[in-house]
Amino acid sequence: MPSANQFTMTTTTGDQKAASAPLMNKTPYQRLISKDGRSLIRGHAPGHRDKWMAALQDMWGTWLGLRWRWVVLAFCSSFLLHWLLFAVLWYLLARVNGDLDVLDHDAPPPGHVLCVKHVTGFTAAFSFALETQLTIGYGTMYPNADCQIGIALLALQMLLGLMLETFITGAFVAKFSRPQKRCVGILFSPQAIVCEVKSQRCLMFRVTNLLPVSLVDVSVSGILYEERDDHTLHQTAVDFTTDNLGSRPCPLFVSPLTYFHPLTSSSPLHNVIEPSSESRFELVVFLSASKESTGCDYNKRTSYLPDEIEHGRCFVKSTPQHGKDRNKNARIDYFDTQPFPMTQDHVAVQIDKN
């Protein structure tokens, strides 16, 4: 049986069947997406060699996917290895050229051309490689223009060093500017709820914006991942709306926004979401928005398992806060729920109209 991390998937709509490996038949259940939006599934490679080859071919993507602890380690290691490599080359050049045998570099023997002045050992060679890369230039050691091999090695070190610095600097900027890292202030409710909205049973969740920026063109979509009796994983699109906007994006993200999906007979959630149902599924919700001032994309996602969907409750009404009190107890106030008897059709869930 394939492991939980080994799967292939084909998107389906409605009741169309997809061929895939079992993914949700593990106990305890392994999520596809964590609550904070991280993907917990890794593709399967036939062997370690193929895995490393794929990582090398997409070095930029591999670098951006590393955790910060590994990025810092790779940053320090790459520069240290670069300095050590050229320290060895400078040391070998000094040995081959006979510079290590010269006792006084200020007065070399007649006819002897020093490649790098005052490189008398490996420590001095490492120091010179460091000074060359960082352009410190203390003045004691410097290359001789009459040594052509030394000038060529100097040019090679500077070119490779500039390439390394460009890659490392660009990667740091890219990691800081990733859309998912800009979305730490966008919060989803920990639980989704099932209640009645104007006599219609609906699945609902709430999202709030605690970022100190204005977001526009907010759109939300969902995918239902369901394992069926034949142990195949199916994907079905789930549409969510807020207020009376329908499928149109919300023009302005004013916290909080409550999204709902009617549980009609045609809904893919109609049967699987019942408390008595034994269906194994995960509902993944995707949110995308843009920053009003710069147009930068903001993307956030989360997921809900069957035991994270509450029945017979509704979100309490909350008023957006401003100023210093905006973040205070926001996770609790915005996502609080209260009992909502499913038999009372005349009670409407309070959906914030912002």
Side-chain angles (χ1 to χ4, degrees), residues 292-329:
E292 186 176 19
S293 58
T294 63
C296 295
D297 293 330
Y298 283 72
N299 302 306
K300 191 69 178 286
R301 62 188 177 189
T302 190
S303 69
Y304 297 101
L305 299 181
D307 57 356
E308 295 170 347
I309 299 177
E310 299 181 347
H311 293 258
R313 301 188 67 86
C314 65
F315 290 114
V316 299
K317 186 176 182 179
S318 58
T319 304
Q321 300 174 356
H322 304 277
K324 297 181 179 180
D325 296 333
R326 188 182 184 191
N327 295 328
K328 185 178 181 181
N329 298 326

Side-chain angles (χ1 to χ4, degrees), residues 128-307:
F128 179 73
L130 183 65
E131 292 181 20
T132 301
Q133 179 62 38
L134 301 180
T135 64
I136 297 175
Y138 289 116
T140 303
M141 293 178 289
Y142 55 90
N144 191 339
D146 296 328
C147 180
Q148 298 178 355
I149 299 179
I151 298 301
L153 184 58
L154 179 68
L156 178 62
Q157 180 179 356
M158 293 302 298
L159 286 175
L160 293 181
L162 288 173
M163 292 173 59
L164 180 62
E165 291 178 3
T166 301
F167 180 84
I168 296 293
T169 303
F172 266 81
V173 173
K175 282 187 70 68
F176 275 114
S177 60
R178 285 185 299 173
Q180 58 267 38
K181 294 302 180 181
R182 298 196 298 262
C183 298
V184 292
I186 299 177
L187 306 177
F188 288 92
S189 57
Q191 287 83 28
I193 61 174
V194 175
C195 62
E196 294 184 4
V197 179
K198 299 178 180 178
S199 302
Q200 173 63 59
R201 293 178 66 247
C202 295
L203 173 72
M204 308 173 67
F205 67 90
R206 180 171 282 181
V207 59
T208 185
N209 176 26
L210 301 181
L211 298 172
V213 297
S214 298
L215 300 181
V216 297
D217 296 331
V218 185
S219 61
V220 167
S221 61
I223 298 292
L224 175 67
Y225 294 92
E226 179 188 4
E227 184 188 24
R228 302 195 178 170
D229 295 336
D230 56 355
H231 298 297
T232 57
L233 187 65
H234 291 247
Q235 301 178 83
T236 308
V238 180
D239 297 326
F240 287 91
T241 60
T242 182
D243 294 336
N244 296 318
L245 294 177
S247 60
R248 291 177 296 179
C250 180
L252 184 62
F253 197 164
V254 180
S255 297
L257 295 175
T258 304
Y259 285 88
F260 61 93
H261 170 79
L263 297 175
T264 61
S265 58
S266 60
S267 169
L269 295 170
H270 179 69
N271 295 322
V272 302
I273 207 171
E274 296 296 335
S276 58
S277 174
E278 296 182 356
S279 300
R280 302 177 67 87
F281 68 89
E282 180 173 348
L283 177 63
V284 182
V285 179
F286 304 85
L287 180 145
S288 61
S290 300
K291 187 177 179 180
E292 186 176 19
S293 58
T294 63
C296 295
D297 293 330
Y298 283 72
N299 302 306
K300 191 69 178 286
R301 62 188 177 189
T302 190
S303 69
Y304 297 101
L305 299 181
D307 57 356

